[in-house]
Amino acid sequence: MKLSRAYIPTQKETPSDAVIPSHRLMIRGGFIKPLAAGIYTILPIGWKVVKKVIEIIRQEMDKIGAQELHMPAINPIEIWDESGRNKSFGDEMFRLKDRKGRGLVLAPTHEEIICDLARKYIKSYKDMPQMWYQIQTKFRDEPRPRSGVMRTRQFTMKDSYSLDCDPEGMRKSYELHAEAYRNIFKRCGIKFHVVGASSGLMGGSASQEFMMETENGEDVLVLCDNCGYSSNMEVAASKFQEKTNSGKYNSLTEIHTPGKRTIQEVSEFLSINPWELIKSILYISEKNEPFIALVRGDHDVNEEKLAKIVGAEIRPAHPDEVKEVCGAETGFVGPVKTAKKVRIIADNALENGKNFIAGANENDYHLGGIDVSRDIGFASFGDIRNVVSGDLCINCGSKLRVTHAVELGHIFQLGTKYAKTMKAFFLDSSGKENPVYMGSYGIGVERLVASIIEQNHDDKGIVWEPFLTPYHVHVMPINMSVNEIANMAEKIYNMFIENSIETIMDDREVSPGFKFKDADLLGMPIQIVIGKKWLNDGKIELKIRKTGETFEVKEEELLLKVNSILFNKA
Ligand code: ATP
Ligand code: MG
């Protein structure tokens, strides 16, 4: 490809909404162009990378015996009603109507369609196991699309699904996928963690996420660098650090705390440690039941864990509900003497604790000297807190690390949840009818490309590995109006192409500095300069983008040198 004719709209300016490096570099390098919030065109060199990543994914999926198919992106809404997910997906799902007024959905994922295929075509245990995958567009009306193609409203996903007769079969298919995913991310050159995860909207039992650590990630991970324990914060467990209360308030006392609502305000006002306070938050379950969650002042409530204990979706109460149930405004709520009797769920770190301070359920007052087992009625205990840095590993007792990450892929054992609701049954070897055991597995393709850039760039631009780069070699004739240079560049360009080396040539009439900047920004592994050195000494200059190493090479040695750098070919 010649740059003079290519559509690679590089730009100097960084778009104002681009905070993370991959977003900045993909826009500046002309890999993507925004159309609307969370909706992008993948431009030609971006698409070249996407295709290479897809090819790696395809090879690894085929290797585990999965079969590629292609399901419709547009689905009748009835099938989503059947599974119950028309409701649970809420505003995240795009819905539309056809000309006859029938409801349709732009699919955010495809479990429902798989179930429909299974119930129609899987009749007997002999028809399984099956593993089906596709590489296809997904639609999700994300509340906060951001970070370029990391979180968009339309994106490409490799999604696959396994169908098995029993839990053992399902686990086997799951393990095969875990292996394929490890290979995919390794081949993409990504350093990743495999972590225990919550199953969220998908439902089901076991699930793991493939995570890339980066300070720009939206997910929070808990890692033990000693024994390898790793988990998404949503489900992470830990041993909390024991703390001793000062005993400044050692009998039940009302304390005047005018206008002091937050843990920080109250602890500063009373000169006590944050962990001597009890954080009390009123929640309402989807069954409309109020309950108060309690955690130690230095901890935070983990709503995923809390919802699991409650067995329903939950939300923090509105101010008027707080007033009605507790008798005071937010900030003065506590577990003792609420206006209405209410269920209390307390974190394990509070069990048997004494001399705590909490809201008094009266505006501008807190209550000191709380003895948890003596004073708090209706309390049940559980792990409902977020892990904090410094907590200890439940396996080995080492200090845990809390860090940010991007989710690259997610694998689920769904069990029979979908099969039962959608009636995907089969006959087992004794002629008995059983539900199919399903697994579901996803990788976001554009997010993976962005993540590769997150891990492979410097202050000048992207640094591609040879197996993912849009082009292997970036040829720069320094001055196209000098015939010897232009002719030589053309000759080299043709030689590379004849030898299956993907080549881009900057044949534009622009300054050398401009060409070098663009070459560094675009990040092809090898840059070749034909300029003064060629005119004077008959030497071609070659630079490795990643290391900055430079070589001066004779024409006849060039192909060998390039091949050996790119493919270790002698
Ligand atoms: P997230 O927690 O980031 O929203 P998710 O749990 O909704 O992800 P899955 O439903 O498991 O994601 O989808 C599988 C994969 O698809 C994810 O691991 C991620 O790589 C990708 N993905 C999900 N949502 C988006 C999105 N809005 N934009 C780009 N990629 C996405
Ligand atoms: Mg999501």
Side-chain angles (χ1 to χ4, degrees):
M1 176 54 68
K2 308 256 173 83
L3 255 176
S4 62
R5 272 182 284 141
Y7 184 50
I8 305 178
T10 54
Q11 66 183 58
K12 246 205 189 126
E13 315 74 45
T14 300
S16 58
D17 63 332
V19 181
I20 69 168
S22 61
H23 186 187
R24 255 186 344 248
L25 293 169
M26 288 179 92
I27 297 275
R28 286 197 47 221
F31 290 80
I32 56 172
K33 264 266 183 276
L35 174 68
I39 303 178
Y40 284 86
T41 300
I42 316 287
L43 296 179
I45 47 165
W47 193 243
K48 276 176 85 72
V49 181
V50 167
K51 282 191 291 185
K52 289 189 182 184
V53 166
I54 286 178
E55 198 41 42
I56 291 177
I57 295 176
R58 214 170 242 144
Q59 285 172 5
E60 295 300 329
M61 293 309 297
D62 291 345
K63 212 192 269 175
I64 60 166
Q67 306 154 76
E68 186 168 0
L69 46 60
H70 201 78
M71 289 177 271
I74 190 164
N75 305 164
I77 201 159
E78 289 79 13
I79 198 161
W80 288 85
D81 279 326
E82 224 184 308
S83 69
R85 287 210 294 182
N86 183 21
K87 182 162 174 277
S88 58
F89 254 102
D91 290 338
E92 201 160 320
M93 192 150 75
F94 284 103
R95 297 170 183 84
L96 63 156
K97 289 223 154 59
D98 71 8
R99 62 174 72 206
K100 296 199 172 118
R102 285 184 295 230
L104 295 166
V105 155
L106 296 180
T109 173
H110 275 85
E111 283 78 12
E112 278 74 359
I113 314 308
I114 290 288
C115 254
D116 186 60
L117 290 170
R119 69 187 170 189
K120 283 176 181 152
Y121 305 111
I122 304 279
K123 298 291 174 209
S124 126
Y125 70 98
K126 288 182 191 148
D127 299 328
M128 289 184 285
Q130 288 290 332
M131 289 193 283
W132 299 334
Y133 79 97
Q134 63 175 347
I135 287 152
Q136 207 228 25
T137 306
K138 296 280 184 279
F139 300 89
R140 295 183 183 182
D141 198 356
E142 296 278 353
R144 280 174 298 279
R146 60 173 166 177
S147 305
V149 293
M150 283 280 189
R151 183 172 298 286
T152 52
R153 300 197 291 164
Q154 165 175 339
F155 58 97
T156 314
M157 198 198 286
K158 186 292 297 173
D159 47 326
S160 45
Y161 307 87
S162 58
L163 306 170
D164 281 279
C165 302
D166 48 36
E168 291 76 57
M170 174 178 68
R171 274 193 287 275
K172 232 177 175 172
S173 302
Y174 180 87
E175 282 311 322
L176 282 173
H177 272 86
E179 183 192 316
Y181 276 36
R182 280 193 294 268
N183 289 340
I184 290 165
F185 298 127
K186 260 188 226 152
R187 284 181 64 185
C188 289
I190 296 241
K191 290 191 206 90
F192 60 92
H193 299 282
V194 188
V195 308
S198 155
S199 298
L201 264 184
M202 292 293 178
S205 46
S207 101
Q208 284 169 305
E209 288 164 335
F210 290 74
M211 291 282 193
M212 182 187 83
E213 219 180 317
T214 157
E215 57 180 342
N216 302 314
E218 286 182 49
D219 280 86
V220 183
L221 299 189
V222 175
L223 303 173
C224 175
D225 291 326
N226 182 46
C227 75
Y229 172 82
S230 57
S231 173
N232 194 307
M233 177 64 94
E234 291 170 347
V235 292
S238 70
K239 284 187 210 154
F240 55 85
Q241 290 172 288
E242 301 277 356
K243 301 278 186 190
T244 335
N245 289 350
S246 62
K248 189 169 174 189
Y249 298 94
N250 55 14
S251 62
L252 271 189
T253 344
E254 285 221 332
I255 313 163
H256 193 212
T257 50
K260 309 293 179 204
R261 293 165 188 267
T262 64
I263 296 290
Q264 195 188 345
E265 284 166 357
V266 179
S267 59
E268 279 172 9
F269 184 69
L270 300 179
S271 304
I272 52 163
N273 301 299
W275 63 77
E276 301 185 51
L277 284 155
I278 296 176
K279 207 180 270 181
S280 318
I281 302 174
L282 183 70
Y283 283 91
I284 311 286
S285 80
E286 66 182 331
K287 295 166 196 153
N288 236 355
E289 282 158 350
F291 63 95
I292 295 178
L294 305 179
V295 291
R296 214 167 66 185
D298 58 332
H299 290 151
D300 283 317
V301 173
N302 178 315
E303 294 187 354
E304 292 262 340
K305 293 182 186 173
L306 189 57
K308 219 176 210 168
I309 290 180
V310 175
E313 295 207 17
I314 59 167
R315 63 167 173 86
H318 305 310
D320 50 328
E321 292 166 327
V322 173
K323 192 88 219 275
E324 190 193 324
V325 176
C326 302
E329 286 169 15
T330 310
F332 303 102
V333 168
V336 186
K337 287 188 271 181
T338 44
K340 289 188 170 170
K341 270 193 181 163
V342 59
R343 178 181 175 194
I344 288 173
I345 302 176
D347 184 63
N348 291 331
L350 292 171
E351 204 164 1
N352 301 320
K354 290 187 175 57
N355 303 334
F356 275 111
I357 296 141
N361 294 314
E362 187 183 339
N363 284 352
D364 293 336
Y365 282 91
H366 279 76
L367 188 65
I370 297 174
D371 176 326
V372 172
S373 52
R374 183 191 64 198
D375 302 324
I376 304 180
F378 314 106
S380 59
F381 292 88
D383 174 7
I384 59 162
R385 71 183 182 283
N386 275 338
V387 174
V388 288
S389 240
D391 277 2
L392 304 180
C393 175
I394 47 163
N395 294 335
C396 74
S398 305
K399 274 218 164 110
L400 292 169
R401 188 158 67 86
V402 176
T403 179
H404 284 263
V406 168
E407 177 192 323
L408 303 171
H410 201 164
I411 57 178
F412 296 88
Q413 291 179 25
L414 294 174
T416 55
K417 177 184 137 93
Y418 288 85
K420 276 185 184 151
T421 10
M422 295 190 59
K423 302 192 178 56
F425 292 100
F426 69 99
L427 295 178
D428 68 16
S429 55
S430 59
K432 217 177 114 233
E433 203 169 58
N434 281 319
V436 168
Y437 281 80
M438 275 179 72
S440 159
Y441 319 89
I443 294 178
V445 175
E446 293 90 345
R447 186 183 287 186
L448 177 51
V449 171
S451 302
I452 291 165
I453 295 173
E454 285 293 318
Q455 281 198 349
N456 297 282
H457 69 272
D458 58 20
D459 52 358
K460 297 191 199 82
I462 303 173
V463 182
W464 291 109
E465 292 293 341
F467 47 92
L468 290 172
T469 185
Y471 293 95
H472 296 122
V473 174
H474 192 128
V475 178
M476 285 173 279
I478 277 322
N479 189 344
M480 285 300 285
S481 55
V482 178
N483 272 342
E484 291 98 312
I485 289 179
N487 292 343
M488 187 56 199
E490 190 70 26
K491 192 172 167 201
I492 289 173
Y493 175 75
N494 288 328
M495 172 185 75
F496 283 145
I497 289 178
E498 276 160 29
N499 285 280
S500 303
I501 289 170
E502 294 172 273
T503 307
I504 190 150
M505 180 159 95
D506 194 347
D507 58 339
R508 296 173 300 177
E509 300 278 359
V510 293
S511 73
F514 196 88
K515 290 189 181 186
F516 295 151
K517 277 217 171 87
D518 264 2
D520 282 345
L521 171 63
L522 294 173
M524 313 314 166
I526 295 181
Q527 300 174 2
I528 285 175
V529 176
I530 299 148
K532 271 204 197 103
K533 277 257 152 45
W534 169 250
L535 292 178
N536 299 341
D537 316 326
K539 294 277 180 65
I540 294 157
E541 294 160 79
L542 184 154
K543 185 172 123 189
I544 301 180
R545 169 69 179 91
K546 190 172 182 173
T547 59
E549 267 176 290
T550 54
F551 303 88
E552 289 175 10
V553 190
K554 287 194 210 131
E555 183 192 343
E556 56 274 22
E557 294 165 347
L558 187 60
L559 187 60
L560 200 68
K561 185 78 190 163
V562 164
N563 262 320
S564 84
I565 293 170
L566 290 173
F567 311 114
N568 284 325
K569 272 194 216 160

